[in-house]
Amino acid sequence: MCVVAGTGVTYINNAGSIAQTLYHSSLSGKLYDPTSAAQWQAEQVSIISMLNFAGRILIGPCLLPPLLSFPSTEAKHLFRPLGLLTDALKTHFHLPRSHSLLLVSLLFLLSQVLALFVDDVRNLWIVSAALGLALGSVSLLMPMVVLDWWGMHHFSENWGYIVFSPAIAGNIFSYAFGRILDSNTVTGEGGK
Protein backbone atom coordinates (compact mmCIF):
# COMPACT_ATOMS: atom_id res chain seq x y z
CA MET A 1 0.00 0.00 0.00
CA CYS A 2 2.86 2.33 0.81
CA VAL A 3 4.49 2.04 -2.59
CA VAL A 4 1.44 1.60 -4.83
CA ALA A 5 -0.81 4.23 -3.25
CA GLY A 6 2.23 6.47 -2.71
CA THR A 7 2.70 6.39 -6.46
CA GLY A 8 -0.91 7.46 -6.88
CA VAL A 9 -0.55 10.30 -4.37
CA THR A 10 2.58 11.51 -6.16
CA TYR A 11 0.89 11.46 -9.56
CA ILE A 12 -2.18 13.29 -8.28
CA ASN A 13 -0.02 15.92 -6.58
CA ASN A 14 2.06 16.43 -9.73
CA ALA A 15 -0.41 15.81 -12.57
CA GLY A 16 -0.60 19.56 -13.12
CA SER A 17 3.16 19.88 -13.47
CA ILE A 18 3.28 16.91 -15.80
CA ALA A 19 0.48 18.30 -17.98
CA GLN A 20 2.09 21.77 -18.03
CA THR A 21 5.48 20.35 -18.98
CA LEU A 22 4.08 18.14 -21.73
CA TYR A 23 1.88 20.97 -23.01
CA HIS A 24 4.84 23.34 -23.16
CA SER A 25 7.01 20.79 -24.95
CA SER A 26 4.29 20.06 -27.53
CA LEU A 27 3.86 23.72 -28.56
CA SER A 28 6.57 23.58 -31.24
CA GLY A 29 6.73 27.28 -31.91
CA LYS A 30 3.11 28.15 -31.05
CA LEU A 31 2.26 30.68 -28.38
CA TYR A 32 1.67 29.43 -24.85
CA ASP A 33 -2.04 29.60 -24.00
CA PRO A 34 -2.68 29.50 -20.23
CA THR A 35 -6.34 28.62 -20.76
CA SER A 36 -5.49 25.61 -22.89
CA ALA A 37 -2.82 24.52 -20.40
CA ALA A 38 -5.36 24.74 -17.56
CA GLN A 39 -7.81 22.65 -19.60
CA TRP A 40 -5.22 19.89 -19.96
CA GLN A 41 -4.66 19.95 -16.20
CA ALA A 42 -8.40 19.84 -15.48
CA GLU A 43 -8.80 16.97 -17.91
CA GLN A 44 -6.29 14.87 -15.98
CA VAL A 45 -8.08 15.54 -12.68
CA SER A 46 -11.43 14.58 -14.24
CA ILE A 47 -10.07 11.38 -15.75
CA ILE A 48 -8.42 10.34 -12.49
CA SER A 49 -11.66 11.01 -10.60
CA MET A 50 -13.90 9.11 -13.01
CA LEU A 51 -11.61 6.09 -13.22
CA ASN A 52 -11.06 6.15 -9.46
CA PHE A 53 -14.82 5.74 -9.11
CA ALA A 54 -14.87 3.02 -11.77
CA GLY A 55 -12.05 1.15 -10.00
CA ARG A 56 -14.04 1.11 -6.78
CA ILE A 57 -17.02 -0.37 -8.60
CA LEU A 58 -15.34 -2.79 -11.02
CA ILE A 59 -12.48 -4.17 -8.97
CA GLY A 60 -13.13 -3.24 -5.36
CA PRO A 61 -15.36 -5.41 -3.19
CA CYS A 62 -19.09 -4.75 -3.05
CA LEU A 63 -19.98 -3.19 0.28
CA LEU A 64 -23.66 -2.68 -0.53
CA PRO A 65 -26.35 -5.28 0.17
CA PRO A 66 -27.88 -6.87 -2.90
CA LEU A 67 -30.39 -4.44 -4.39
CA LEU A 68 -32.32 -6.98 -6.42
CA SER A 69 -34.16 -10.07 -5.36
CA PHE A 70 -34.00 -12.81 -7.92
CA PRO A 71 -36.84 -15.29 -8.44
CA SER A 72 -34.55 -18.27 -8.91
CA THR A 73 -31.29 -19.34 -7.35
CA GLU A 74 -29.78 -19.74 -10.83
CA ALA A 75 -30.35 -16.07 -11.65
CA LYS A 76 -29.02 -15.06 -8.24
CA HIS A 77 -25.88 -17.12 -8.88
CA LEU A 78 -25.33 -15.44 -12.25
CA PHE A 79 -25.78 -11.87 -11.07
CA ARG A 80 -24.49 -12.00 -7.48
CA PRO A 81 -21.03 -10.48 -8.10
CA LEU A 82 -22.46 -7.85 -10.48
CA GLY A 83 -19.13 -7.76 -12.31
CA LEU A 84 -17.08 -6.89 -9.23
CA LEU A 85 -13.78 -8.66 -9.62
CA THR A 86 -12.81 -9.27 -6.00
CA ASP A 87 -16.24 -10.57 -5.08
CA ALA A 88 -16.23 -12.78 -8.16
CA LEU A 89 -12.82 -14.21 -7.23
CA LYS A 90 -13.98 -14.83 -3.67
CA THR A 91 -17.41 -16.24 -4.56
CA HIS A 92 -16.72 -18.28 -7.68
CA PHE A 93 -13.07 -19.26 -7.35
CA HIS A 94 -12.81 -19.24 -3.52
CA LEU A 95 -9.69 -17.08 -3.64
CA PRO A 96 -9.00 -14.58 -0.88
CA ARG A 97 -9.36 -10.90 -1.72
CA SER A 98 -5.65 -10.45 -1.15
CA HIS A 99 -5.06 -12.15 -4.51
CA SER A 100 -6.66 -9.11 -6.14
CA LEU A 101 -3.80 -7.00 -4.80
CA LEU A 102 -1.61 -8.54 -7.49
CA LEU A 103 -3.93 -7.25 -10.20
CA VAL A 104 -4.11 -3.81 -8.60
CA SER A 105 -0.32 -3.67 -8.24
CA LEU A 106 0.03 -4.60 -11.90
CA LEU A 107 -2.34 -1.75 -12.79
CA PHE A 108 -0.11 0.67 -10.87
CA LEU A 109 2.95 -0.75 -12.61
CA LEU A 110 1.22 -0.45 -15.99
CA SER A 111 0.38 3.20 -15.31
CA GLN A 112 4.02 3.97 -14.55
CA VAL A 113 5.32 2.08 -17.58
CA LEU A 114 2.84 4.00 -19.73
CA ALA A 115 4.07 7.24 -18.17
CA LEU A 116 7.58 6.44 -19.39
CA PHE A 117 6.40 6.54 -23.00
CA VAL A 118 4.08 9.55 -22.92
CA ASP A 119 5.71 12.48 -24.66
CA ASP A 120 2.61 14.40 -25.72
CA VAL A 121 -0.02 15.94 -23.46
CA ARG A 122 -2.76 14.47 -25.68
CA ASN A 123 -1.71 10.98 -24.56
CA LEU A 124 -1.45 11.74 -20.85
CA TRP A 125 -5.07 10.68 -20.33
CA ILE A 126 -3.99 7.04 -20.73
CA VAL A 127 -1.69 7.28 -17.73
CA SER A 128 -4.31 9.16 -15.71
CA ALA A 129 -6.93 6.54 -16.55
CA ALA A 130 -4.75 3.58 -15.57
CA LEU A 131 -3.63 5.24 -12.36
CA GLY A 132 -7.16 6.36 -11.42
CA LEU A 133 -8.48 2.83 -11.93
CA ALA A 134 -5.70 1.36 -9.81
CA LEU A 135 -6.03 3.96 -7.06
CA GLY A 136 -9.79 3.50 -6.80
CA SER A 137 -9.35 -0.25 -6.67
CA VAL A 138 -6.79 -0.23 -3.90
CA SER A 139 -8.77 2.34 -1.92
CA LEU A 140 -11.70 -0.03 -1.53
CA LEU A 141 -9.84 -3.32 -1.65
CA MET A 142 -7.29 -2.66 1.07
CA PRO A 143 -9.71 -2.18 3.99
CA MET A 144 -11.33 -5.50 3.12
CA VAL A 145 -7.94 -7.23 2.99
CA VAL A 146 -6.99 -5.74 6.37
CA LEU A 147 -10.30 -6.96 7.77
CA ASP A 148 -9.76 -10.44 6.29
CA TRP A 149 -6.19 -10.69 7.61
CA TRP A 150 -6.50 -9.26 11.12
CA GLY A 151 -10.22 -9.29 11.86
CA MET A 152 -12.48 -6.65 13.33
CA HIS A 153 -10.85 -6.64 16.77
CA HIS A 154 -7.65 -4.98 15.48
CA PHE A 155 -9.09 -3.35 12.37
CA SER A 156 -8.91 0.30 13.38
CA GLU A 157 -5.30 0.16 14.54
CA ASN A 158 -4.05 -1.83 11.55
CA TRP A 159 -6.07 0.21 9.08
CA GLY A 160 -4.64 3.38 10.62
CA TYR A 161 -1.11 2.19 9.91
CA ILE A 162 -2.01 1.14 6.38
CA VAL A 163 -3.83 4.34 5.47
CA PHE A 164 -0.95 6.46 6.78
CA SER A 165 1.68 4.66 4.70
CA PRO A 166 0.96 6.36 1.31
CA ALA A 167 1.76 9.72 2.89
CA ILE A 168 5.30 8.53 3.60
CA ALA A 169 5.94 7.18 0.10
CA GLY A 170 4.04 10.07 -1.48
CA ASN A 171 6.39 12.59 0.11
CA ILE A 172 9.50 10.64 -0.86
CA PHE A 173 8.29 10.11 -4.43
CA SER A 174 7.18 13.76 -4.77
CA TYR A 175 10.59 14.92 -3.62
CA ALA A 176 12.25 12.62 -6.17
CA PHE A 177 9.82 13.80 -8.87
CA GLY A 178 10.63 17.44 -8.14
CA ARG A 179 14.38 16.81 -8.24
CA ILE A 180 14.14 14.93 -11.54
CA LEU A 181 11.82 17.53 -13.09
CA ASP A 182 14.10 20.38 -12.00
CA SER A 183 17.19 18.65 -13.35
CA ASN A 184 15.52 18.15 -16.74
CA THR A 185 13.93 21.57 -17.06
CA VAL A 186 15.57 24.00 -19.44
CA THR A 187 15.68 27.49 -17.98
CA GLY A 188 15.99 30.71 -19.89
CA GLU A 189 17.92 33.84 -18.98
CA GLY A 190 17.75 34.79 -15.33
CA GLY A 191 16.73 31.27 -14.29
CA LYS A 192 13.18 31.54 -15.67
Side-chain angles (χ1 to χ4, degrees):
M1 179 79 168
C2 183
V3 173
V4 294
T7 303
V9 168
T10 300
Y11 186 82
I12 289 171
N13 288 342
N14 297 295
S17 298
I18 296 168
Q20 286 280 337
T21 303
L22 288 174
Y23 174 73
H24 193 282
S25 69
S26 66
L27 287 176
S28 63
K30 294 183 238 171
L31 242 53
Y32 180 81
D33 179 18
T35 305
S36 182
Q39 287 174 341
W40 285 111
Q41 287 178 307
E43 181 181 301
Q44 302 317 307
V45 172
S46 298
I47 290 169
I48 292 168
S49 297
M50 288 186 292
L51 271 291
N52 186 309
F53 173 75
R56 292 169 190 252
I57 300 298
L58 297 174
I59 297 174
C62 181
L63 300 177
L64 300 174
L67 301 175
L68 304 171
S69 64
F70 296 100
S72 70
T73 57
E74 293 169 359
K76 187 175 183 178
H77 176 72
L78 290 174
F79 294 101
R80 170 76 172 97
L82 299 173
L84 304 173
L85 184 64
T86 58
D87 284 348
L89 290 175
K90 186 170 178 71
T91 303
H92 295 296
F93 300 106
H94 307 291
L95 294 172
R97 286 189 176 105
S98 58
H99 282 63
S100 300
L101 288 174
L102 177 62
L103 173 67
V104 173
S105 297
L106 289 174
L107 273 172
F108 274 106
L109 180 64
L110 174 68
S111 73
Q112 299 310 296
V113 169
L114 289 170
L116 287 172
F117 298 104
V118 170
D119 59 356
D120 191 339
V121 72
R122 293 176 295 217
N123 298 328
L124 189 58
W125 71 270
I126 300 167
V127 177
S128 296
L131 191 110
L133 186 67
L135 196 57
S137 303
V138 79
S139 298
L140 201 57
L141 176 62
M142 213 45 212
M144 297 306 290
V145 171
V146 169
L147 188 64
D148 286 349
W149 283 352
W150 290 293
M152 190 56 145
H153 184 68
H154 298 285
F155 177 75
S156 62
E157 179 182 0
N158 291 326
W159 179 239
Y161 294 135
I162 298 291
V163 81
F164 180 69
S165 66
I168 296 167
N171 282 322
I172 293 168
F173 295 159
S174 289
Y175 177 77
F177 173 83
R179 299 280 297 188
I180 293 168
L181 181 65
D182 288 346
S183 69
N184 289 295
T185 302
V186 179
T187 58
E189 292 181 31
K192 295 183 181 181

